[in-house]
PDB file of all heavy atoms in Angstrom:
ATOM      1  N   HIS A  45       8.262  -0.072  32.201  1.00 80.00           N
ATOM      2  CA  HIS A  45       6.859   0.396  32.005  1.00 80.00           C
ATOM      3  C   HIS A  45       6.677   0.968  30.584  1.00 80.00           C
ATOM      4  O   HIS A  45       5.701   0.616  29.985  1.00 80.00           O
ATOM      5  CB  HIS A  45       6.561   1.488  33.029  1.00 80.00           C
ATOM      6  CG  HIS A  45       5.212   2.109  32.879  1.00 80.00           C
ATOM      7  ND1 HIS A  45       4.075   1.454  33.145  1.00 80.00           N
ATOM      8  CD2 HIS A  45       4.792   3.327  32.449  1.00 80.00           C
ATOM      9  CE1 HIS A  45       3.002   2.223  32.852  1.00 80.00           C
ATOM     10  NE2 HIS A  45       3.459   3.382  32.475  1.00 80.00           N
ATOM     11  N   HIS A  48       6.798  -1.763  27.950  1.00 86.00           N
ATOM     12  CA  HIS A  48       5.480  -2.606  27.892  1.00 86.00           C
ATOM     13  C   HIS A  48       4.380  -1.774  27.186  1.00 86.00           C
ATOM     14  O   HIS A  48       3.634  -2.363  26.466  1.00 86.00           O
ATOM     15  CB  HIS A  48       5.016  -3.012  29.260  1.00 86.00           C
ATOM     16  CG  HIS A  48       5.915  -4.086  29.867  1.00 86.00           C
ATOM     17  ND1 HIS A  48       5.679  -4.631  31.141  1.00 86.00           N
ATOM     18  CD2 HIS A  48       6.893  -4.891  29.311  1.00 86.00           C
ATOM     19  CE1 HIS A  48       6.605  -5.594  31.365  1.00 86.00           C
ATOM     20  NE2 HIS A  48       7.319  -5.720  30.202  1.00 86.00           N
ATOM     21  N   ARG A  49       4.338  -0.520  27.528  1.00 87.00           N
ATOM     22  CA  ARG A  49       3.298   0.301  26.822  1.00 87.00           C
ATOM     23  C   ARG A  49       3.472   0.383  25.352  1.00 87.00           C
ATOM     24  O   ARG A  49       2.545   0.308  24.500  1.00 87.00           O
ATOM     25  CB  ARG A  49       3.301   1.785  27.423  1.00 87.00           C
ATOM     26  CG  ARG A  49       2.921   1.846  28.854  1.00 87.00           C
ATOM     27  CD  ARG A  49       1.545   1.384  29.029  1.00 87.00           C
ATOM     28  NE  ARG A  49       0.531   2.002  28.145  1.00 87.00           N
ATOM     29  CZ  ARG A  49      -0.676   1.532  27.822  1.00 87.00           C
ATOM     30  NH1 ARG A  49      -1.053   0.422  28.394  1.00 87.00           N
ATOM     31  NH2 ARG A  49      -1.489   2.142  27.031  1.00 87.00           N
ATOM     32  N   LEU A  52       2.573  -3.114  23.856  1.00 91.00           N
ATOM     33  CA  LEU A  52       1.101  -3.244  23.660  1.00 91.00           C
ATOM     34  C   LEU A  52       0.446  -2.365  22.569  1.00 91.00           C
ATOM     35  O   LEU A  52      -0.420  -2.897  21.917  1.00 91.00           O
ATOM     36  CB  LEU A  52       0.453  -2.869  25.117  1.00 91.00           C
ATOM     37  CG  LEU A  52       0.798  -3.792  26.245  1.00 91.00           C
ATOM     38  CD1 LEU A  52       0.319  -3.229  27.591  1.00 91.00           C
ATOM     39  CD2 LEU A  52       0.178  -5.178  26.023  1.00 91.00           C
ATOM     40  N   ASP A 173       8.837 -10.412  30.267  1.00 88.00           N
ATOM     41  CA  ASP A 173       8.245 -10.161  31.571  1.00 88.00           C
ATOM     42  C   ASP A 173       6.978  -9.294  31.473  1.00 88.00           C
ATOM     43  O   ASP A 173       6.784  -8.324  32.228  1.00 88.00           O
ATOM     44  CB  ASP A 173       9.293  -9.381  32.450  1.00 88.00           C
ATOM     45  CG  ASP A 173       8.843  -9.419  33.947  1.00 88.00           C
ATOM     46  OD1 ASP A 173       8.114 -10.423  34.325  1.00 88.00           O
ATOM     47  OD2 ASP A 173       9.263  -8.524  34.689  1.00 88.00           O
ATOM     48  N   ILE A 174       6.074  -9.768  30.591  1.00 90.00           N
ATOM     49  CA  ILE A 174       4.747  -9.212  30.519  1.00 90.00           C
ATOM     50  C   ILE A 174       3.621 -10.227  30.737  1.00 90.00           C
ATOM     51  O   ILE A 174       3.745 -11.343  30.231  1.00 90.00           O
ATOM     52  CB  ILE A 174       4.535  -8.464  29.203  1.00 90.00           C
ATOM     53  CG1 ILE A 174       3.253  -7.629  29.173  1.00 90.00           C
ATOM     54  CG2 ILE A 174       4.670  -9.338  28.017  1.00 90.00           C
ATOM     55  CD1 ILE A 174       3.194  -6.694  27.998  1.00 90.00           C
ATOM     56  N   SER A 175       2.596  -9.827  31.414  1.00 90.00           N
ATOM     57  CA  SER A 175       1.530 -10.774  31.687  1.00 90.00           C
ATOM     58  C   SER A 175       0.760 -11.047  30.361  1.00 90.00           C
ATOM     59  O   SER A 175       0.406 -10.233  29.627  1.00 90.00           O
ATOM     60  CB  SER A 175       0.563 -10.153  32.747  1.00 90.00           C
ATOM     61  OG  SER A 175      -0.632 -10.820  32.743  1.00 90.00           O
ATOM     62  N   LEU A 176       0.435 -12.381  30.203  1.00 92.00           N
ATOM     63  CA  LEU A 176      -0.361 -12.727  28.985  1.00 92.00           C
ATOM     64  C   LEU A 176      -1.759 -12.169  29.113  1.00 92.00           C
ATOM     65  O   LEU A 176      -2.344 -11.707  28.092  1.00 92.00           O
ATOM     66  CB  LEU A 176      -0.537 -14.264  28.965  1.00 92.00           C
ATOM     67  CG  LEU A 176      -1.291 -14.866  27.809  1.00 92.00           C
ATOM     68  CD1 LEU A 176      -0.745 -14.451  26.470  1.00 92.00           C
ATOM     69  CD2 LEU A 176      -1.395 -16.423  27.947  1.00 92.00           C
ATOM     70  N   TRP A 177      -2.302 -12.071  30.336  1.00 93.00           N
ATOM     71  CA  TRP A 177      -3.621 -11.486  30.478  1.00 93.00           C
ATOM     72  C   TRP A 177      -3.552  -9.978  30.178  1.00 93.00           C
ATOM     73  O   TRP A 177      -4.519  -9.480  29.498  1.00 93.00           O
ATOM     74  CB  TRP A 177      -4.124 -11.626  31.849  1.00 93.00           C
ATOM     75  CG  TRP A 177      -5.339 -10.854  32.214  1.00 93.00           C
ATOM     76  CD1 TRP A 177      -5.469  -9.969  33.210  1.00 93.00           C
ATOM     77  CD2 TRP A 177      -6.657 -10.947  31.539  1.00 93.00           C
ATOM     78  NE1 TRP A 177      -6.815  -9.403  33.159  1.00 93.00           N
ATOM     79  CE2 TRP A 177      -7.476  -9.916  32.200  1.00 93.00           C
ATOM     80  CE3 TRP A 177      -7.146 -11.563  30.408  1.00 93.00           C
ATOM     81  CZ2 TRP A 177      -8.809  -9.733  31.802  1.00 93.00           C
ATOM     82  CZ3 TRP A 177      -8.466 -11.351  30.035  1.00 93.00           C
ATOM     83  CH2 TRP A 177      -9.214 -10.470  30.693  1.00 93.00           C
ATOM     84  N   LYS A 178      -2.486  -9.259  30.458  1.00 92.00           N
ATOM     85  CA  LYS A 178      -2.340  -7.801  30.181  1.00 92.00           C
ATOM     86  C   LYS A 178      -2.255  -7.650  28.633  1.00 92.00           C
ATOM     87  O   LYS A 178      -2.830  -6.786  28.124  1.00 92.00           O
ATOM     88  CB  LYS A 178      -1.018  -7.363  30.866  1.00 92.00           C
ATOM     89  CG  LYS A 178      -0.851  -5.848  30.657  1.00 92.00           C
ATOM     90  CD  LYS A 178       0.375  -5.409  31.312  1.00 92.00           C
ATOM     91  CE  LYS A 178       0.602  -3.916  31.214  1.00 92.00           C
ATOM     92  NZ  LYS A 178      -0.371  -3.118  32.064  1.00 92.00           N
ATOM     93  N   LEU A 179      -1.573  -8.607  27.971  1.00 93.00           N
ATOM     94  CA  LEU A 179      -1.439  -8.552  26.485  1.00 93.00           C
ATOM     95  C   LEU A 179      -2.875  -8.703  25.857  1.00 93.00           C
ATOM     96  O   LEU A 179      -3.244  -8.006  24.960  1.00 93.00           O
ATOM     97  CB  LEU A 179      -0.561  -9.625  26.053  1.00 93.00           C
ATOM     98  CG  LEU A 179      -0.242  -9.650  24.519  1.00 93.00           C
ATOM     99  CD1 LEU A 179       0.625  -8.522  24.131  1.00 93.00           C
ATOM    100  CD2 LEU A 179       0.445 -10.958  24.127  1.00 93.00           C
ATOM    101  N   VAL A 180      -3.705  -9.696  26.440  1.00 94.00           N
ATOM    102  CA  VAL A 180      -4.989  -9.927  25.869  1.00 94.00           C
ATOM    103  C   VAL A 180      -5.900  -8.694  26.234  1.00 94.00           C
ATOM    104  O   VAL A 180      -6.653  -8.208  25.332  1.00 94.00           O
ATOM    105  CB  VAL A 180      -5.537 -11.161  26.451  1.00 94.00           C
ATOM    106  CG1 VAL A 180      -7.094 -11.357  26.107  1.00 94.00           C
ATOM    107  CG2 VAL A 180      -4.860 -12.439  25.983  1.00 94.00           C
ATOM    108  N   ARG A 181      -5.856  -8.196  27.483  1.00 92.00           N
ATOM    109  CA  ARG A 181      -6.800  -7.178  27.888  1.00 92.00           C
ATOM    110  C   ARG A 181      -6.490  -5.776  27.211  1.00 92.00           C
ATOM    111  O   ARG A 181      -7.435  -5.115  26.780  1.00 92.00           O
ATOM    112  CB  ARG A 181      -6.690  -6.970  29.370  1.00 92.00           C
ATOM    113  CG  ARG A 181      -7.711  -6.038  29.986  1.00 92.00           C
ATOM    114  CD  ARG A 181      -7.547  -5.808  31.490  1.00 92.00           C
ATOM    115  NE  ARG A 181      -6.330  -5.154  31.792  1.00 92.00           N
ATOM    116  CZ  ARG A 181      -5.263  -5.672  32.503  1.00 92.00           C
ATOM    117  NH1 ARG A 181      -5.246  -6.894  32.827  1.00 92.00           N
ATOM    118  NH2 ARG A 181      -4.199  -4.910  32.678  1.00 92.00           N
ATOM    119  N   GLU A 182      -5.203  -5.433  27.020  1.00 91.00           N
ATOM    120  CA  GLU A 182      -4.913  -4.155  26.514  1.00 91.00           C
ATOM    121  C   GLU A 182      -4.503  -4.122  25.028  1.00 91.00           C
ATOM    122  O   GLU A 182      -4.548  -3.015  24.448  1.00 91.00           O
ATOM    123  CB  GLU A 182      -3.747  -3.544  27.359  1.00 91.00           C
ATOM    124  CG  GLU A 182      -4.130  -3.429  28.833  1.00 91.00           C
ATOM    125  CD  GLU A 182      -3.101  -2.637  29.581  1.00 91.00           C
ATOM    126  OE1 GLU A 182      -2.313  -1.816  28.962  1.00 91.00           O
ATOM    127  OE2 GLU A 182      -3.012  -2.859  30.834  1.00 91.00           O
ATOM    128  N   ALA A 183      -4.166  -5.282  24.398  1.00 92.00           N
ATOM    129  CA  ALA A 183      -3.734  -5.199  22.989  1.00 92.00           C
ATOM    130  C   ALA A 183      -4.722  -6.004  22.139  1.00 92.00           C
ATOM    131  O   ALA A 183      -4.730  -5.643  20.893  1.00 92.00           O
ATOM    132  CB  ALA A 183      -2.301  -5.755  22.960  1.00 92.00           C
ATOM    133  N   ILE A 184      -5.437  -6.888  22.605  1.00 94.00           N
ATOM    134  CA  ILE A 184      -6.240  -7.722  21.767  1.00 94.00           C
ATOM    135  C   ILE A 184      -7.733  -7.365  21.849  1.00 94.00           C
ATOM    136  O   ILE A 184      -8.445  -7.192  20.872  1.00 94.00           O
ATOM    137  CB  ILE A 184      -6.108  -9.197  22.077  1.00 94.00           C
ATOM    138  CG1 ILE A 184      -4.682  -9.632  21.616  1.00 94.00           C
ATOM    139  CG2 ILE A 184      -7.130 -10.074  21.292  1.00 94.00           C
ATOM    140  CD1 ILE A 184      -4.294 -11.114  21.976  1.00 94.00           C
ATOM    141  N   PRO A 186      -9.283  -4.378  22.969  1.00 91.00           N
ATOM    142  CA  PRO A 186      -9.803  -3.118  22.438  1.00 91.00           C
ATOM    143  C   PRO A 186      -9.991  -3.095  20.910  1.00 91.00           C
ATOM    144  O   PRO A 186     -11.028  -2.546  20.328  1.00 91.00           O
ATOM    145  CB  PRO A 186      -8.750  -2.095  22.869  1.00 91.00           C
ATOM    146  CG  PRO A 186      -8.211  -2.709  24.065  1.00 91.00           C
ATOM    147  CD  PRO A 186      -8.177  -4.204  23.780  1.00 91.00           C
TER     148      PRO A 186
END
Side-chain angles (χ1 to χ4, degrees):
H45 178 69
H48 287 175
R49 293 301 307 162
L52 293 169
D173 193 27
I174 186 169
S175 164
L176 180 60
W177 170 239
K178 185 179 182 69
L179 186 70
V180 172
R181 186 182 70 246
E182 298 189 24
I184 295 179

